[in-house]
Structure formats: structure tokens, C-alpha cells
Amino acid sequence: MPGCEATARFLPFPMRIRAAGETDVGRVRARNEDALLQRPARGFVAVADGMGGHAAGDIASRIAVDVLDERTAHLPDSGRPEYIRESVLAAHQAILKAADADTSLEGMGTTVTALFVDPDMEPARCILVHVGDSRAYRLRAGALEQLTRDQTWVQDQIDAGALSPEQARGHPYSSVITSALGIRNAPVDVQLLAPDCAPGDLFLLCSDGLIARLEDDELRSILVAHHDLHRAARALVDAANEAGGPDNITVALVQLEDHD
Ligand code: CA
């Protein structure tokens, strides 16, 4: 029947989205300035890594995830990638406004990396937004691929052929980032990506504290060794701490599965 065919074509085939995350102060820092947002019911997770004196880093990263949380609770029917990009810029403005209202917060900033799996799209569509040096990876068929580009001085040098990745890792300027939210009079370079996604994919978002002492292959080994997402997230944090935990560590895992 033609009617049945039409119905079948428009039947939703939503993927199941599972998520787990951990955020940890690490072994050296006195405060955790990272922020983690998990909203698996609407396919959204975010990691932010704040910076600034006193308590300002915590505040900047919290504002970033709160603005994204609020704005992604009500998505427009069309133009969602651009809407999410604008939401990152709204978070930037909100951080500047908070610093205007309290001079002790002046100079605070944050990275942000957020993944949105669009629940209304078939086939599924993923939107990734990124500013700074947090990262997103995708594990597919046992291979781990970094999806975001670090917005750092050392990454610029690697791309220019002036530093090797090994030299960059221990470089005194390795923590210098070239774009962040909340930095006054500096353009925000929002990376907007649409990574391919399919059932079976596992996405990892993390702050740079996870990868300060761990290589990508160590991340991959931990992810493939743990089928339970919560245990995988905990194992990543534990490994970063066992390697010295020099920075705050935040991980968000998103597993895409066929709906059964
Ligand atoms: Ca950090």
C-alpha cells in the first residue's frame, strides 16, 4: 500500500545514546576548574576547562556549560549547527558580562568542546563545536581518531613543521591556547564540525588533563578494554592520575547504539 510505504519512510529510527562522564581534580591542583555537562536524553554532552585567578576559572567553565545547557534545551527546527555555534558565542558573551559585573573575575576564560547527536535526524547526525585545547575523539572499529584540532601555540608550530608532536608535549608553551571563551578583544574561533556517526561509535570528549601524560594509544587501549561506559570513564581518570595527574581531568563518553 502506498500509504504504508510513506509511513515507513518517515518512521523514526532513533539511535540509543548512552553517556558517562567523570571530572576529577587530579593530583596536583587545589581546585577543579573543569566543568562537565551530560544530557544524554537530548544527545548533548560538553566539557569545559576554565582558567583565571582565584575561583574565576570554575565560574567561566560553569557559565559556558550552563549557557549551552539552557540553549540546547529548546532547539530550532532548522539551522541547528549554526544555532549551536551561536550558543557558544552566547556563552562567550555571558562570561564577559559576568567579568564586567565583578572585577575580581576579569581575565577568566574557558575552553569548550561539545557534542550534539541530533535525535530528529535519520540517518543520525552529529554536531561538534570546539574552542581551545580540550579534545573530541571517535573510537570506531577499534581505531581512535582525534576529531578536533587543538587551538594552541604548539599545534600551530606542529602544523608549520617547526615542532614535532614529541617536542610539543614537553614544551614550556604547551599550555598556551590561541582561542578561548571570555577573552576580551580577541575573536573566538569556533570550530564547527559534523563528524560522521553511526551505531557502534564511541565518542570521547576530554579536557587536556587527560592527555597531559597519556598517549592516544593508551586512551584507545582503555576504551576497548571496558565495555561498561562508567567504568571506562573512571579508568581513564585513574590512568591520568596514576601518570601524575598534573591537571584537572574531565572525560565524557557517548556511545551510539542501534535502538532495540
Ligand atoms: Ca586543563
Side-chain angles (χ1 to χ4, degrees), residues 57-256:
D58 318 25
I59 293 170
S61 61
R62 178 50 52 192
I63 292 172
V65 298
D66 284 351
V67 169
L68 289 176
D69 187 20
E70 189 184 326
R71 286 184 52 105
T72 57
H74 306 286
L75 291 168
D77 291 335
S78 62
R80 289 180 174 179
E82 183 56 25
Y83 177 85
I84 289 172
R85 199 185 81 84
E86 286 169 2
S87 299
V88 171
L89 296 174
H92 170 61
Q93 292 299 331
I95 294 165
L96 289 175
K97 195 172 165 190
D100 282 341
D102 180 348
T103 53
S104 73
L105 302 177
E106 186 60 39
M108 67 177 171
T110 187
T111 74
V112 69
T113 300
L115 175 71
F116 175 60
V117 184
D118 199 325
D120 298 336
M121 295 293 288
E122 171 55 36
R125 178 172 183 181
C126 290
I127 300 166
L128 190 57
V129 279
H130 168 70
V131 177
D133 67 350
S134 300
R135 284 186 181 174
Y137 294 86
R138 182 185 55 218
L139 181 75
R140 172 178 284 181
L144 188 69
E145 180 185 356
Q146 185 179 333
L147 302 172
T148 49
R149 178 185 178 278
D150 294 350
Q151 293 177 331
T152 59
W153 182 86
V154 292
Q155 185 63 50
D156 288 348
Q157 303 311 304
I158 292 168
D159 293 348
L163 284 179
S164 69
E166 294 69 34
Q167 289 171 319
R169 181 172 284 266
H171 198 281
Y173 295 164
S174 62
S175 63
V176 174
I177 60 177
T178 54
S179 185
L181 304 187
I183 307 303
R184 220 173 279 284
N185 303 319
V188 180
D189 179 13
V190 183
Q191 279 185 33
L192 179 64
L193 306 167
D196 185 39
C197 59
D201 287 345
L202 174 63
F203 289 87
L204 161 66
L205 276 59
C206 64
S207 61
D208 67 333
L210 179 69
I211 41 105
R213 300 271 171 83
L214 299 179
E215 302 287 347
D216 286 2
D217 200 51
E218 294 172 281
L219 306 181
R220 192 198 71 83
S221 297
I222 292 166
L223 291 173
V224 299
H226 293 82
H227 291 294
D228 181 281
L229 272 196
H230 295 278
R231 286 186 183 166
R234 191 66 237 171
L236 288 167
V237 169
D238 289 347
N241 274 326
E242 283 158 20
D247 194 1
N248 305 147
I249 305 152
T250 299
V251 304
L253 295 173
V254 176
Q255 175 79 63
L256 306 185

